[in-house]
Amino acid sequence: MKYKGKSMMSLNQMVEIGIKYQGDGYVTGYPIVSGNDAYILNGVIEANSEYIAIEQWVPVFPESLQLQPSSLP
């Protein structure tokens, strides 16, 4: 299920590296949360039994994570 979260990056930083965002810096994708760190991930470049290469990951504020309504069954 997809989530959205408020990016910790500035809008200028996201534009520079080609990250698509909504409104005031919200990004959508798949969340990973570990302790006080949260990321929204999108796209897998390559994966095998030893590693995975993610196309895009964006640090987000953990408290901003919200389930995207369009991802519900």
Side-chain angles (χ1 to χ4, degrees), residues 38-58:
Y39 298 87
I40 294 283
L41 285 68
N42 281 298
V44 173
I45 295 172
E46 184 178 349
N48 63 36
S49 62
E50 296 178 14
Y51 73 91
I52 184 168
I54 303 296
E55 183 175 341
Q56 172 184 301
W57 63 94
V58 180

Side-chain angles (χ1 to χ4, degrees), residues 1 6 10 12 15-16 19 23 26 28-29 31-32 36 38 40 43-48 52-54 65-66 68 72:
M1 290 192 270
K6 174 83 165 125
S10 72
N12 287 338
V15 167
E16 283 178 15
I19 295 174
Y26 279 84
T28 59
I32 289 185
N36 293 327
I40 294 283
V44 173
I45 295 172
E46 184 178 349
N48 63 36
I52 184 168
I54 303 296
L65 286 173
Q66 301 172 25
Q68 284 290 97
L72 294 174

